[in-house]
């Protein structure tokens, strides 16, 4: 009986096992291809058919590696654990700089998880960015960047439909090679690398152009194969190829190409940027936008507003008049003043008036009556939708700085801009070779050319974005020119010429500085306190204003050499007013004065200081020859020059170095007078200098 039960159980178990095996076979047996003539093969089990339908078969994803497939089967579901442990080993090998084992370990990880994209992305970045910097020789660094690229290429073989890997290829090729500290060497090595490029012509090996090709490959995957993992926002994804073309134009200009090659590069960049503006781009709000369509949409909005106003019997103008009549008197008076003649306060009031008298489309729609009311509400809804679309486009245009690059690509093609770039490049080369005369002449010519560019294209340094109105890219270019020009002026012991052509640009930078509103408020309050006789409060406010001036000058160092006379004179006016508060308080002007260096530079380069020093040298020579009367005349002129300097720069009284020069002239003057048995004049114009320093 027991034996029969055991036998029965065995039969039942065998049946169950057989059933499970058949179920597993039904669900999971792999598909088979054509074996013989007329044999179509088997589609495989349910799971195999689902993989085929969803394009998840390894053959559909990418290249099949027998070793990798065998390893995956041998892991019995523990591939993640094994990959994690190997990842830890890779980190350890990197720390110990065991590059051979690192490469082997990375190869093992990819065999275990060939379709896990993060492995390829992370380790390629590790090779190109982290491992490469461990070497001193830039040749070795370059080879590890290439290892990173080759690693990504291998990943693409196993994942042929993944645009994120193609985009990473574009990023490393373009950004790592084109923006690294060693970019000059990397770009040269990349072009000469026959092993990497194979038969690609050298004229097409620029890293920015090759990077653009990879970005376009990623675009093709998205557009034709409906692959969606792109690794960034659609906005940035579609902007990358034309930006690569822009960077190519910049790169060849940095390397000294300003002829037809550069012109064609920027012309192509302009065309590609325009095409980017026509690209349909999805947003997180579910909208589809085109960045270049904003002007068309604005015109549509204007036409809808006119139609809405028409349905409301011209209610817009009536509502504006009503709101204007209700404005406070001071606002109405500000509006009555012509725009160019308004004071800062009136400008502020006029701006407030525009806000207060603004009439919204909803207010206009409410004025429609009868059968027009429904049509007005319909148009109002269209206007709201259009406004939302325009706001979204404007935001996205700001993210990629669309208007600036659109204009930049067009401007860079012009002979005017190419000439300006060429002049700066040649001047930089002369400066590096210590040919200061050629560098100075080059920078003088370059500033004139840049001034012409900015006069013709003033939009070059302003954007649509609501943040900083100065475009950083243009600002960096011009600041480089100003810094280099300042260095040549320093070597020549000169200030900027009074007719410096780029002075308006420097003044614009200052006017748009975020510290200017606070500086202006501090100055206005200081003047008010001074007029009310509250000199101590005025002194503190002037110190605050001087602090802001110091920060502004630090951001625009060319001001030290008076690149913008208007701004420079405003600084000096602030210092004079500050000095007056000490005079009123009866307190000596401080020696540790924040803008002492600024004043010292102005004094040292002033014609009055030069005249005073020349007069002292001549008087000293004449006194040695005992020609005291002639020496006295020279010193009279020199001391008069110092007196004028003290009037123009009253803070000089706190500058020991300048006052010592004045004291030397006074001492010689006293000696010359004594030699002629003449008494020292009283009152003496430079007595404050004697009182403060003669006993020290």
């Amino acid at each position: 009986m027991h034996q029969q039960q055991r036998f029965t159980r065995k039969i039942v178990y065998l049946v169950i096992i057989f059933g499970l095996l058949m179920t597993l076979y039904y669900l999971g047996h792999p598909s088979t291809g054509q074996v013989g003539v007329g044999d179509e093969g088997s589609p495989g089990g349910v799971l195999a058919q689902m993989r085929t339908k969803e394009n998840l078969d390894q053959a559909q994803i990418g290249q099949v590696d027998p070793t990798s497939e065998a390893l995956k089967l041998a892991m019995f579901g523990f591939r993640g654990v094994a990959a994690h442990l190997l990842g830890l080993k890779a980190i350890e090998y990197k720390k110990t700089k065991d590059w051979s084992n690192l490469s082997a370990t990375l190869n093992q990880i990819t065999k275990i998880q060939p379709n896990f994209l993060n492995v390829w992305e992370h380790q390629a970045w590790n090779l190109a960015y982290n491992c490469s910097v461990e070497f001193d020789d830039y040749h070795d660094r370059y080879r590890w960047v290439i290892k990173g690229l080759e690693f990504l290429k291998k990943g693409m073989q196993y994942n042929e439909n993944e645009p994120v890997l193609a985009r990473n290829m574009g990023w490393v090729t373009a950004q790592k090679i084109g923006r690294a500290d060693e970019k000059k060497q990397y770009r040269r090595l990349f072009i000469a690398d026959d092993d990497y490029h194979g038969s690609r012509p050298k004229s097409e090996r620029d890293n920015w152009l090759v990077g653009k090709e990879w970005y376009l490959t990623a675009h093709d995957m998205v557009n034709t194969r409906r692959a969606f993992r792109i690794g960034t926002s659609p906005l940035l994804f579609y902007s990358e190829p034309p930006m690569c073309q822009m960077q190519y134009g910049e790169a060849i200009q940095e390397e000294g190409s300003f002829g037809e090659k550069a012109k064609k590069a920027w012309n192509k960049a302009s065309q590609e940027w325009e095409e980017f503006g026509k690209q349909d781009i999805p947003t997180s709000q579910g909208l589809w936008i085109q960045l270049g369509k904003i002007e068309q949409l604005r015109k549509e909005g204007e036409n809808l507003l006119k139609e809405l106003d028409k349905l409301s019997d011209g209610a817009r103008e009536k509502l504006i008049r009503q709101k204007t009549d209700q404005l406070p008197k001071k606002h109405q008076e500000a509006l009555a003043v012509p725009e160019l003649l308004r004071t800062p306060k009136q400008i502020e009031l006029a701006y407030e008036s525009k806000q207060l008298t603004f009439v919204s489309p909803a207010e206009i729609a409410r004025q429609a009556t009868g059968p027009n009311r429904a049509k007005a509400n319909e148009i109002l809804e269209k206007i709201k939708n259009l406004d939302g679309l325009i706001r979204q486009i404007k935001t996205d245009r700001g993210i990629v700085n669309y208007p600036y690059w659109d204009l930049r690509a067009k401007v860079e093609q012009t002979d005017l801009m190419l000439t300006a770039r060429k002049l700066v490049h040649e001047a930089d080369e002369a400066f590096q070779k210590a040919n200061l005369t050629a560098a100075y002449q080059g920078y003088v010519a370059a500033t004139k050319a840049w001034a012409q560019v900015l006069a013709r294209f003033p939009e070059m340094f302003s954007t649509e974005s609501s943040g900083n109105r100065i475009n950083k890219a243009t600002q960096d270019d011009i600041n480089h020119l100003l810094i280099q020009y300042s260095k040549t002026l320093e070597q020549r012991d000169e200030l900027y010429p009074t007719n410096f052509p780029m002075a308006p640009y420097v003044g614009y930078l200052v006017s748009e500085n975020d510290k200017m509103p606070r500086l202006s408020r501090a100055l206005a309050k200081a003047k008010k306190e001074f007029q009310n006789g509250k000199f101590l409060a005025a002194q503190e406010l002037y110190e605050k204003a001087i602090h802001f001036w110091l920060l502004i000058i630090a951001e625009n160092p060319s001001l030290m050499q008076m690149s913008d006379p208007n701004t420079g004179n405003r600084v000096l006016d602030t210092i004079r007013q500050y000095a007056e508060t000490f005079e009123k308080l009866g307190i000596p002007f401080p020696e540790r004065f924040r803008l002492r260096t600024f004043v010292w530079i102005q004094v040292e380069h002033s014609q009055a200081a030069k005249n005073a020093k020349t007069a002292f040298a001549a008087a000293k020579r004449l006194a040695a020859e005992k020609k005291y009367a002639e020496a006295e005349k020279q010193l009279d002129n020199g001391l008069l020059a110092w007196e004028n300097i003290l009037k123009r720069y009253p803070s000089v009284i706190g500058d020991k170095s300048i006052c010592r020069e004045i004291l030397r002239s006074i001492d010689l003057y006293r000696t010359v007078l004594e030699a002629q048995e003449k008494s020292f004049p009283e009152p003496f114009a430079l007595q404050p200098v004697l009182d403060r320093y003669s006993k020290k």
Side-chain angles (χ1 to χ4, degrees):
M1 183 68 181
H2 291 295
Q3 288 182 351
Q4 187 176 359
Q5 287 178 345
R6 284 198 296 270
F7 178 75
T8 304
R9 281 200 298 270
K10 288 178 182 179
I11 296 297
V12 171
Y13 292 157
L14 286 172
V15 170
I16 292 172
I17 290 171
F18 180 75
L20 290 173
L21 287 173
M22 292 303 296
T23 303
L24 289 173
Y25 178 79
Y26 172 74
L27 291 173
H29 78 277
S31 61
T32 59
Q34 182 176 348
V35 177
V37 178
D39 181 11
E40 296 182 358
S42 167
V46 174
L47 294 177
Q49 292 178 43
M50 289 177 66
R51 283 195 297 268
T52 302
K53 183 181 179 181
E54 299 297 330
N55 295 323
L56 294 176
D57 271 342
Q58 183 61 50
Q60 294 169 312
I61 294 174
Q63 192 179 91
V64 178
D65 184 352
T67 305
S68 176
E69 294 301 308
L71 278 172
K72 284 192 281 185
L73 288 172
M75 288 291 158
F76 293 107
F78 288 95
R79 285 186 296 153
V81 176
H84 176 69
L85 293 174
L86 288 171
L88 294 177
K89 272 192 175 183
I91 294 171
E92 188 61 31
Y93 288 140
K94 178 183 174 295
K95 287 180 180 178
T96 57
K97 300 185 180 182
D98 188 347
W99 309 118
S100 298
N101 278 323
L102 173 63
S103 297
T105 304
L106 294 181
N107 186 55
Q108 290 172 338
I109 294 173
T110 58
K111 293 292 184 185
I112 295 171
Q113 290 186 320
N115 304 126
F116 186 42
L117 299 185
N118 283 355
V119 170
W120 300 103
E121 287 184 274
H122 174 73
Q123 296 302 345
W125 181 278
N126 190 31
L127 292 169
Y129 281 83
N130 299 331
C131 294
S132 65
V133 299
E134 298 291 339
F135 296 87
D136 296 327
D137 191 328
Y138 68 83
H139 292 90
D140 294 327
R141 293 186 176 195
Y142 170 75
R143 291 316 312 168
W144 279 88
V145 173
I146 295 301
K147 279 180 182 288
L149 288 171
E150 289 172 342
F151 190 81
L152 278 171
K153 272 188 180 180
K154 188 177 179 182
M156 289 186 66
Q157 293 174 4
Y158 296 119
N159 303 275
E160 294 174 352
N161 299 318
E162 293 295 348
V164 69
L165 295 182
R167 180 180 174 270
N168 272 274
M169 282 291 298
W171 177 270
V172 176
T173 303
Q175 300 293 332
K176 177 59 181 176
I177 294 176
R179 292 199 182 280
D181 293 338
E182 312 89 339
K183 64 181 179 181
K184 289 183 180 179
Q185 294 85 357
Y186 281 1
R187 280 173 54 77
R188 187 176 67 249
L189 290 171
F190 189 72
I191 291 172
D193 195 341
D194 294 330
D195 292 335
Y196 181 78
H197 292 290
S199 61
R200 184 194 293 269
K202 286 193 175 182
S203 61
E204 299 174 9
R205 292 183 183 181
D206 189 282
N207 71 288
W208 291 109
L209 297 182
V210 176
K212 185 176 80 169
E213 286 183 16
W214 283 112
Y215 283 133
L216 290 173
T217 299
H219 287 196
D220 180 65
M221 291 179 180
V222 171
N223 296 333
T224 62
R225 307 181 203 178
R226 298 188 63 78
F228 300 106
R229 287 187 285 189
I230 59 177
T232 187
S233 69
L235 176 67
L236 296 178
F237 181 70
Y238 287 109
S239 73
E240 287 165 335
M243 279 306 303
C244 269
Q245 184 67 32
M246 302 270 193
Q247 301 301 334
Y248 167 67
E250 282 190 348
I252 62 175
Q253 284 180 329
E254 287 178 9
E255 293 165 354
S257 179
F258 303 98
E260 198 62 29
K261 183 180 179 181
K263 187 177 288 189
K264 286 181 179 178
W266 282 105
N267 181 266
K268 191 170 185 179
S270 180
Q271 293 174 8
E272 291 181 1
W273 196 250
E274 189 174 339
E275 288 301 313
F276 168 55
K278 297 175 183 177
Q279 172 73 44
D280 288 321
I281 299 173
T283 69
S284 57
Q285 285 76 28
L287 301 172
W288 287 82
I289 62 171
Q290 292 181 10
L291 298 186
K293 205 175 178 181
I294 193 168
E295 292 303 325
Q296 179 184 335
L297 294 176
R298 283 170 175 165
K299 287 179 182 178
E300 287 180 20
E302 290 172 4
N303 292 334
L304 286 172
L305 195 60
K306 288 177 182 177
E307 189 176 347
L308 180 63
D309 194 38
K310 188 176 180 181
L311 290 170
S312 305
D313 295 326
R316 184 169 179 271
E317 289 299 324
K318 296 175 185 176
L319 290 169
I320 291 174
R321 282 197 300 271
Q322 289 176 9
K323 291 187 176 186
T324 303
D325 293 340
Q326 294 172 4
L327 285 173
K329 186 178 180 181
K330 60 181 180 180
H331 287 76
Q332 294 185 16
E333 290 173 350
L335 287 173
V337 178
E339 188 173 347
L340 295 176
L341 301 179
R342 289 171 186 163
T343 64
K345 184 63 177 176
Q346 288 172 332
I347 292 173
E348 185 180 343
L349 290 171
Y351 177 78
E352 288 179 5
S353 300
K354 288 183 179 180
Q355 303 300 311
L356 294 170
T357 57
F358 173 74
V359 176
S360 67
E363 290 177 281
I364 300 172
R366 283 197 292 269
Q367 302 302 312
T369 57
N372 289 341
R373 188 65 178 268
K375 181 66 174 174
N377 288 332
E378 183 182 331
I379 293 174
L380 178 62
E381 192 62 29
K382 289 181 180 179
I383 291 174
K384 287 179 180 178
N385 293 335
L386 202 60
D387 286 345
L389 191 60
I390 290 172
R391 279 196 301 273
Q392 182 64 53
I393 292 175
K394 191 173 179 181
T395 298
D396 286 359
R397 280 164 67 98
I399 291 171
V400 295
N401 214 348
Y402 182 88
Y404 169 78
W405 288 109
D406 184 45
L407 177 67
R408 171 83 182 271
K410 292 171 182 173
V411 172
E412 292 289 349
Q413 304 173 48
T414 64
D415 292 333
L416 190 61
M417 178 56 96
L418 289 170
T419 299
R421 297 278 188 199
K422 183 179 181 181
L423 288 169
V424 174
H425 181 79
E426 291 174 347
D428 284 344
E429 287 189 331
F431 188 85
Q432 290 172 3
K433 295 175 182 176
N435 188 347
L436 296 178
T437 301
Y440 168 75
Q441 293 171 348
Y443 290 131
V444 169
T447 54
K448 291 178 181 177
W450 260 105
Q452 291 176 334
V453 169
L454 294 177
R456 183 174 170 186
F457 306 104
E459 316 95 295
M460 275 291 289
F461 52 85
S462 63
T463 67
E464 284 185 354
S465 60
S466 58
N468 184 13
R469 289 179 58 197
I470 308 297
N471 183 273
K472 192 175 185 305
T474 303
Q475 185 177 351
D476 288 345
D477 288 337
I478 299 177
N479 282 351
H480 167 77
L481 171 57
L482 294 176
I483 289 169
Q484 292 301 110
Y485 187 23
S486 295
K487 289 177 181 177
T488 61
L489 288 172
E490 188 178 342
Q491 294 292 329
R492 294 167 64 89
D493 197 26
E494 294 178 6
L495 297 178
Y496 279 86
T498 53
N499 60 346
F500 180 53
M502 294 189 70
Y505 168 78
V506 179
Y508 181 80
L509 285 178
V510 172
S511 67
E512 292 298 319
N513 192 288
D514 59 358
K515 299 167 191 66
M516 278 305 297
R518 288 176 287 173
L519 188 151
S520 299
R521 286 195 294 270
L523 282 176
K525 290 178 182 178
K527 289 177 183 178
K528 187 176 181 180
E529 297 289 6
F530 188 90
Q531 291 169 356
N532 293 335
K534 298 178 180 179
F535 304 119
L536 190 59
Q539 176 194 330
E540 292 175 355
L541 287 164
Y542 279 124
E543 284 176 355
K544 187 176 181 181
I546 286 170
H547 170 70
F548 287 129
W549 275 128
L550 187 67
L551 295 176
I552 290 171
I553 292 172
E555 294 174 17
N556 303 275
S558 64
L559 286 170
M560 275 287 192
Q561 291 160 280
M562 204 62 81
S563 57
D564 176 33
N566 291 333
T567 300
N569 288 328
R570 288 175 67 189
V571 177
L572 292 173
D573 284 341
T574 302
I575 295 169
R576 276 192 290 273
Q577 293 159 12
Y578 179 52
E580 283 182 34
T581 63
F582 285 92
E583 186 179 343
K584 293 291 185 181
L585 290 167
I587 303 172
F589 194 85
E591 293 179 5
R592 294 183 179 180
F593 169 51
R594 286 181 174 178
L595 287 174
R596 175 189 171 278
T597 304
F598 175 81
V599 176
W600 181 86
I601 290 173
Q602 310 315 312
V603 171
E604 286 295 305
H605 291 88
S606 68
Q607 190 59 48
K610 292 175 182 177
N611 292 343
K613 292 177 181 181
T614 301
F616 174 76
K620 191 174 181 181
R621 176 177 51 79
L622 290 168
E625 296 172 1
K626 297 185 178 180
K627 297 178 180 179
Y628 299 118
E630 295 178 38
E632 182 183 350
K633 289 180 182 178
Q634 289 289 343
L635 287 168
D636 282 337
N637 292 331
L639 293 173
L640 180 60
W642 284 123
E643 183 182 346
N644 290 331
I645 286 171
L646 276 173
K647 288 178 181 177
R648 177 167 172 73
Y649 310 101
S651 64
V652 163
I653 194 66
D655 192 317
K656 285 184 179 179
S657 62
I658 296 176
C659 287
R660 285 194 188 105
E661 290 189 67
I662 298 174
L663 285 173
R664 282 196 291 271
S665 293
I666 294 173
D667 290 342
L668 182 59
Y669 185 55
R670 195 189 301 274
T671 301
V672 167
L673 290 177
E674 288 175 355
Q676 299 178 80
E677 297 183 352
K678 290 184 178 180
S679 58
F680 195 77
E682 291 184 8
F684 183 52
L686 294 171
Q687 191 63 40
V689 178
L690 286 172
D691 292 341
R692 183 158 180 172
Y693 294 101
S694 60
K695 295 179 182 180
K696 296 183 181 180

